[in-house]
Amino acid sequence: MHTDQTLVFDADDTLWENNVLFERVIDGFLDWVCAPAEREATRALLDRIEAANAAALGYGAAVFRQSLADCLQRLNADRTPTATELARIDELLTPLTDRGAIELIPGVADTLTALAGRHHLLLLTKGDQDEQRAKVAASTIDHHFRGIHIVAEKSVDTYRQLTAELGLDPERIWMIGNSPKSDIAPARRAGLRTVFIPHEHTWVLEHEELGPDEATLQLTAFPELLRHF
């Protein structure tokens, strides 16, 4: 049992459901724009467009909307989408743009309540500032965190800067998240310990092969944190 540690939590798909909403939009988009036999190739095209737009523009619903419009344009021989087609995309995006209550992942609320009594909890999430702050506020769990940090990207420098700014000992920090690419690999390279909690709907662009690592603890469900912290 680790005591009196600094636990840094990812937000999307670690504390609450997120990517499953995007996947539902994508399913609706593919149903609309392509035949079943073209579905796999169209999804691969959209993934490539999303990767390029994320690198250039960042994350969030607005960038995702741009990716869907870009994909539609590519499918139509670079014809600019019509106002009607863009309105259809906006309709598909409604679950994201008009998001109401946040759906916490099972066990998160009670687990954080227990952990906050014996550790320092921080939140580190990437994405659009306004969107992420709105989700944090709607989550009803923000009071557990001594600091909330929203960044454009999670890199090795992000973790090193956070550690330096807060005057923390990397050996006593645990980064907890579902993304191998953003939460685990760069945090480890920055000298932090990590907890990997896989999520079945983790965004494909967040996948990365993780080798064996003594400093990474892998769990199957969020409440298992209480066995170790």
Side-chain angles (χ1 to χ4, degrees), residues 119-164:
H119 298 286
H120 306 279
L121 308 189
L122 302 174
L123 183 67
L124 176 64
T125 181
K126 71 177 184 180
D128 178 82
Q129 285 279 338
D130 292 339
E131 284 186 29
Q132 294 305 98
R133 290 194 182 280
K135 286 189 281 187
V136 170
S139 71
T140 73
I141 56 174
D142 54 318
H143 61 285
H144 291 305
F145 302 104
R146 301 191 181 190
I148 295 173
H149 305 269
I150 301 173
V151 296
E153 190 59 85
K154 290 178 180 174
S155 64
V156 175
D157 287 343
T158 302
Y159 292 102
R160 287 175 176 163
Q161 184 175 356
L162 180 68
T163 301

Side-chain angles (χ1 to χ4, degrees), residues 2 174-175 177 184 188 193-198 213-219 224-225 227-229:
H2 301 277
W174 293 78
M175 179 64 205
I184 307 304
R188 284 299 307 128
R193 300 173 185 268
T194 53
V195 180
F196 178 40
I197 309 178
D213 187 344
E214 293 182 357
T216 296
L217 173 66
Q218 182 166 335
L219 307 179
E224 293 178 21
L225 288 166
R227 300 179 186 174
H228 303 275
F229 299 95

Side-chain angles (χ1 to χ4, degrees), residues 92-126:
L92 290 170
L93 285 168
T94 300
L96 295 175
T97 55
D98 292 345
R99 188 184 303 199
I102 293 296
E103 181 185 350
L104 295 179
I105 287 174
V108 163
D110 291 342
T111 302
L112 289 181
T113 297
L115 291 174
R118 52 185 187 249
H119 298 286
H120 306 279
L121 308 189
L122 302 174
L123 183 67
L124 176 64
T125 181
K126 71 177 184 180

Side-chain angles (χ1 to χ4, degrees), residues 12-13 16-29 43 46 50 60-61 64 68 89 91-104 131-132 135 199-203:
D12 293 337
D13 297 317
W16 53 70
E17 298 289 358
N18 183 67
N19 193 56
V20 67
L21 301 179
F22 286 81
E23 289 295 332
R24 291 169 187 164
V25 174
I26 291 172
D27 282 343
F29 178 76
R43 177 59 194 264
L46 177 59
E50 281 199 274
F64 183 50
L68 295 177
I89 289 175
E91 182 181 351
L92 290 170
L93 285 168
T94 300
L96 295 175
T97 55
D98 292 345
R99 188 184 303 199
I102 293 296
E103 181 185 350
L104 295 179
E131 284 186 29
Q132 294 305 98
K135 286 189 281 187
H199 190 296
E200 62 176 326
H201 294 298
T202 294
W203 190 21

